Amino acid sequence: ARYRKVDEDFFEELEEVLITADVGVSTVMDLVEELKMEVKRQKIKDSSEMKDVISEKLVEIYYGEEDKSIQHLQLDGEGLQVILVVGVNGAGKTTSIGKLAHQLKADGKKVILAAGDTFRAGAIEQLEVWGERANVPVIKHNEGSDPAAVIYDGIKAAKSREADVLICDTAGRLQNKVNLMNELAKVKRVIEREIPGAPHEVLLVLDATTGQNALTQARIFSEATDVTGIVLTKLDGTAKGGIVLAIRNELQIPVKFVGLGEGIDDLQQFDADAFVYGLFADLGINEEEEEYE
Amino acid sequence: MAFEGLADRLQGTIKKITGKGKVSEQDVKEMTREVRLALLEADVNFKVVKQLIARIKERAVGQEVMESLTPGQQVIKVVKDELTNLMGGEQSKIAVADRPPTVIMMVGLQGAGKTTTTGKLANHLRKKHNRNPLLVACDIYRPAAIKQLETLGTQLDMPVFSLGTEANPVDIANQAIAKAKEDHNDYVIIDTAGRLHVDENLMEELQQIKADVKPDEIFLVVDSMTGQDAVNVAESFNEQLDITGVVLTKLDGDTRGGAALSIKAVTDKPIKFAGMGEKLDQLEAFHPERMASRILGM
Ligand SMILES: Nc1nc2c(ncn2[C@@H]2O[C@H](COP(=O)(O)OP(=O)(O)OP(=O)(O)O)[C@@H](O)[C@H]2O)c(=O)[nH]1
Ligand SMILES: Nc1nc2c(ncn2[C@@H]2O[C@H](COP(=O)(O)OP(=O)(O)OP(=O)(O)O)[C@@H](O)[C@H]2O)c(=O)[nH]1
Ligand SMILES: [K+]
Ligand SMILES: [Mg+2]
Ligand SMILES: [Mg+2]
């Protein structure tokens, strides 16, 4: 490994690398200040010693004061478990549902999908293809019909077929569209009314290429639907998805899965350590690659 | 905090200056610091911000600001000027081929809005220019992508050319051109599958389509919520395809849209249109000065 001094240049480059990873400028500046103090305290000279210090701090930002255990899906309750999937347009909701259905099925669960996106052209057919791929049934209505009614039917069907998990697709919507956010809240109320304690998970699907707007997405979708976790998609590209640090820190919403491609197997459990390594891998002090894939 | 307007953020520094009637280098430093933060919070790329700040600094210590009675406002004006200039003038023109059909290729990352924009552009060409486009379904990968485009075609009452998912996208594009000639469609808009700029095979597929159909326009479709990665994506698509323009989608949201600036800075290709909603009539000309204000939160 090359020897590199931990000096002003080093911190400047670190700042650039993290901002470039979409961590957000204020988070990065706070972090760098803390790291500088840490370096003084521990009398660190060589940058190779920084790898662990940086990733520890990043993981600390991610978790904040929170309990670190609850990042898996919470689907162990009695009876039908319902997952509601929400997010802005094109983030990867429908695709992630297909992947998730496949995983749950492999775990021995009986899964049903509800085609709650009745708006976008071809959305129902897209979910049906994923249903075929994952070999799970899809409950649908016609394009243009009321999404809450589809979800209602999905619940009925899932109950009568004694399914373990119902995953509800919804149309993409930008969080500043009040009507559409109200529509989503209504869908959630239908689920709550039909099954006490449901939805058991509300997953917000976030595109990793998204910048600072992702924080607003998380905040407003949470207000409408009490988001319980994030699926961070498209991490197979060059984007790093650093904004989820702030989302977890400020809103306490954990990332549960990451999307790493368009194939049915390209969904992995989130791993905070692997993720934060990825954020500053470009700094060139990580001797072994411990990123995803 | 994030997304606070630049004008608001500069208030403090401005107050100091108005009291003094003269701007010191330290004042400029403080002001450019705020501008830098605003740009980064708006997702303008780090390197692009660096270059911009250097230029703004230069102008801010110059006469126009120093001798202004309202140096604070003057600095904001300089910043806005620089952003607007960088983004270029309004350019919603679309090429017209000497011999029809004019061919347009839509390219970009997954989920950016290519298919929707294909429909919107076709609608625009018919409504504003009295044209008769053929839409081409070259996305054989995404589940129901062809169905999506066909549905848009039905909504618009416009023809869609497809050969299913078994055919090769290059063949589909070639046969579509022949079909358009036969049917006297004066525009052909090719919808391609979303792909990562680092996916060599799929990028090569686009290069092959380009080599065969010799498009008059290649539009890179970019989601306006994109963060720092926008420069990598735009630079890479431009290098590999020499795009002719950019369409920025989902501007009906509340993103600051700094990606617009980053893309323009690294490709120097015009941003031609803005997607303003999911419906097929929600495509607008791109307005650089409005975008500059938006990025600054003004
Ligand atoms: N490379 C990559 N592409 C992905 C990933 N997840 C989804 N995609 C692609 O992103 C595009 C959009 O995915 P969808 O699942 O349709 O997204 P959506 O959120 O359901 O979109 P709307 O319903 O239109 O709002 C598709 O081309 C997917 O194949 C991922 O993890 N990696
Ligand atoms: N609000 C809003 N939504 C848009 C806009 N443009 C596209 N969309 C939505 O964004 C999502 C993705 O659009 P598509 O046209 O399927 O994107 P694509 O680039 O073709 O996606 P792939 O083919 O999977 O790569 C859909 O839900 C569209 O309705 C826009 O300008 N505003
Ligand atoms: K990546
Ligand atoms: Mg969908
Ligand atoms: Mg498409």
Side-chain angles (χ1 to χ4, degrees):
Chain A
R2 69 198 163 116
Y3 177 82
R4 190 177 162 182
K5 273 207 316 217
V6 181
D7 52 13
E8 219 19 69
D9 275 357
F10 175 85
F11 284 113
E12 245 170 58
E13 197 185 325
L14 178 65
E15 190 179 303
E16 171 168 358
V17 163
L18 291 175
I19 289 175
T20 305
D22 291 315
V23 173
V25 62
S26 57
T27 308
V28 172
M29 291 193 323
D30 291 349
L31 174 83
V32 167
E33 278 317 304
E34 280 185 41
L35 281 173
K36 281 180 180 169
M37 291 192 322
E38 202 58 36
V39 163
K40 265 203 193 128
R41 209 174 57 77
Q42 295 190 31
K43 301 194 172 57
I44 295 172
K45 295 248 158 50
D46 182 347
S47 67
S48 64
E49 297 168 60
M50 285 303 288
K51 182 181 150 187
D52 290 340
V53 183
I54 296 170
S55 65
E56 259 166 44
K57 279 279 174 216
L58 284 169
V59 169
E60 208 177 288
I61 294 176
Y62 177 76
Y63 285 115
E65 309 287 295
E66 289 290 302
D67 177 8
K68 302 182 185 181
S69 61
I70 40 163
Q71 25 177 332
H72 302 297
L73 284 186
Q74 306 286 302
L75 298 176
D76 303 323
E78 281 292 298
L80 176 64
Q81 304 289 299
V82 182
I83 306 175
L84 178 63
V85 179
V86 302
V88 297
N89 307 81
K93 295 175 290 301
T94 308
T95 308
S96 300
I97 289 171
K99 296 172 181 175
L100 189 56
H102 174 67
Q103 272 196 11
L104 291 171
K105 194 145 193 247
D107 289 347
K109 307 239 191 237
K110 186 168 178 187
V111 181
I112 290 186
L113 309 181
D117 181 357
T118 59
F119 179 76
R120 212 211 58 224
I124 299 168
E125 291 84 353
Q126 184 188 2
L127 190 69
E128 283 185 296
V129 174
W130 278 109
E132 277 163 33
R133 287 181 181 176
N135 196 17
V136 302
V138 177
I139 306 301
K140 58 164 183 172
H141 286 187
N142 290 332
E143 201 179 311
S145 55
D146 176 15
V150 183
I151 302 302
Y152 178 81
D153 274 3
I155 294 170
K156 285 269 132 102
K159 277 181 176 168
S160 74
R161 298 182 204 183
E162 297 182 347
D164 299 305
V165 184
L166 173 72
I167 314 180
C168 307
D169 195 10
T170 61
R173 67 202 74 217
L174 300 179
Q175 69 276 11
N176 62 334
K177 306 282 169 81
V178 175
N179 290 342
L180 297 179
M181 295 310 285
N182 286 342
E183 178 195 85
L184 200 58
K186 182 181 157 198
V187 166
K188 185 175 178 243
R189 279 198 301 276
V190 167
I191 300 171
E192 285 166 349
R193 198 181 61 213
E194 292 308 308
I195 303 172
H200 306 83
E201 290 278 358
V202 179
L203 298 179
L204 172 67
V205 179
L206 270 187
D207 183 332
T209 48
T210 312
Q212 302 305 300
N213 190 250
L215 189 56
T216 320
Q217 288 174 29
R219 184 175 300 123
I220 299 180
F221 272 97
S222 265
E223 280 164 18
T225 60
D226 293 316
V227 171
T228 59
I230 284 169
V231 181
L232 187 64
T233 62
K234 310 184 196 178
L235 260 190
D236 47 325
T238 50
K240 309 283 193 186
I243 190 63
V244 300
L245 248 54
I247 292 176
R248 169 79 207 226
N249 189 281
E250 288 180 30
L251 304 170
Q252 285 81 49
I253 307 170
V255 183
K256 299 212 169 175
F257 293 100
V258 297
L260 293 163
E262 299 185 79
I264 200 162
D265 292 313
D266 296 328
L267 187 74
Q268 280 182 26
Q269 293 271 5
F270 177 73
D271 172 343
D273 294 314
F275 179 77
V276 301
Y277 275 127
L279 292 180
F280 68 100
D282 294 343
L283 197 58
I285 54 167
N286 294 355
E287 56 276 6
E288 324 133 42
E289 285 292 306
E290 296 185 56
E291 290 175 78
Y292 286 107
E293 292 227 328
Chain B
M1 257 319 287
F3 296 154
E4 210 180 313
L6 178 67
D8 293 344
R9 316 177 58 137
L10 288 182
Q11 275 312 321
T13 14
I14 290 169
K15 260 191 208 134
K16 262 206 283 184
I17 297 163
T18 20
K20 278 196 255 171
K22 202 169 186 314
V23 190
S24 71
E25 217 159 300
Q26 184 58 31
D27 295 331
V28 171
K29 215 171 160 186
E30 273 175 42
M31 277 191 284
T32 47
R33 188 178 166 277
E34 289 300 312
V35 175
R36 176 176 181 266
L37 290 181
L39 292 174
L40 286 173
E41 279 170 8
D43 292 321
V44 181
N45 179 264
F46 187 89
K47 289 203 170 71
V48 176
V49 171
K50 215 169 180 177
Q51 291 160 9
L52 251 169
I53 291 296
R55 222 165 23 246
I56 290 166
K57 248 184 198 153
E58 207 171 285
R59 276 184 70 179
V61 295
Q63 281 191 344
E64 60 183 320
V65 172
M66 292 305 195
E67 288 171 13
S68 162
L69 290 176
T70 51
Q73 270 85 325
Q74 196 61 25
V75 167
I76 294 181
K77 189 178 167 298
V78 166
V79 176
K80 226 182 128 182
D81 280 358
E82 285 292 334
L83 296 196
T84 310
N85 287 344
L86 239 175
M87 272 184 288
E90 187 180 309
Q91 316 195 26
S92 60
K93 287 207 170 48
I94 298 182
V96 185
D98 293 338
R99 278 190 301 156
T102 306
V103 180
I104 303 174
M105 244 172 105
M106 310 297 287
V107 302
L109 293 184
Q110 288 95 343
K114 294 172 294 300
T115 308
T116 309
T117 309
T118 299
K120 288 178 176 180
L121 266 181
N123 192 30
H124 169 90
L125 283 166
R126 180 170 62 192
K127 274 197 171 154
K128 295 266 158 66
H129 304 277
N130 207 18
R131 300 289 181 171
N132 170 29
L134 174 68
L135 312 183
V136 185
C138 275
D139 181 357
I140 59 168
Y141 309 102
R142 166 171 166 172
I146 298 174
K147 174 72 190 174
Q148 184 185 0
L149 192 65
E150 282 173 349
T151 304
L152 299 181
T154 307
Q155 286 171 11
L156 291 166
D157 192 22
M158 273 186 202
V160 175
F161 184 86
S162 103
L163 293 175
T165 54
E166 298 302 313
N168 176 321
V170 184
D171 295 337
I172 301 172
N174 280 318
Q175 290 191 39
I177 306 287
K179 178 84 166 109
K181 285 180 181 158
E182 216 176 282
D183 295 349
H184 304 289
N185 294 108
D186 45 16
Y187 273 81
V188 173
I189 313 180
I190 301 174
D191 180 31
T192 67
R195 66 202 71 212
L196 296 173
H197 53 293
V198 287
D199 186 329
E200 285 174 23
N201 291 336
L202 284 185
M203 289 306 287
E204 201 180 305
E205 176 191 285
L206 289 181
Q207 288 169 331
Q208 278 174 23
I209 296 177
K210 178 184 173 179
D212 275 24
V213 307
K214 303 191 174 52
D216 303 280
E217 298 271 20
I218 302 178
F219 288 152
L220 177 65
V221 180
V222 184
D223 186 325
S224 60
M225 295 178 280
T226 310
Q228 295 285 320
D229 200 39
V231 292
N232 300 325
V233 175
E235 210 161 30
S236 181
F237 269 95
N238 194 37
E239 264 167 27
Q240 296 180 67
L241 292 164
D242 192 17
I243 62 169
T244 62
V246 175
V247 180
L248 210 59
T249 62
K250 310 179 198 176
L251 267 172
D252 47 320
D254 56 10
T255 179
R256 283 283 184 80
L261 193 67
S262 309
I263 292 164
K264 185 70 208 314
V266 298
T267 65
D268 202 30
K269 298 293 165 66
I271 301 174
K272 296 208 171 183
F273 294 97
M276 297 300 296
E278 297 189 69
K279 304 213 181 79
L280 294 174
D281 57 358
Q282 291 175 318
L283 185 74
E284 294 181 5
F286 178 78
H287 301 292
E289 70 300 333
R290 279 188 217 164
M291 198 65 217
S293 303
R294 180 176 177 147
I295 290 172
L296 296 173
M298 296 165 58

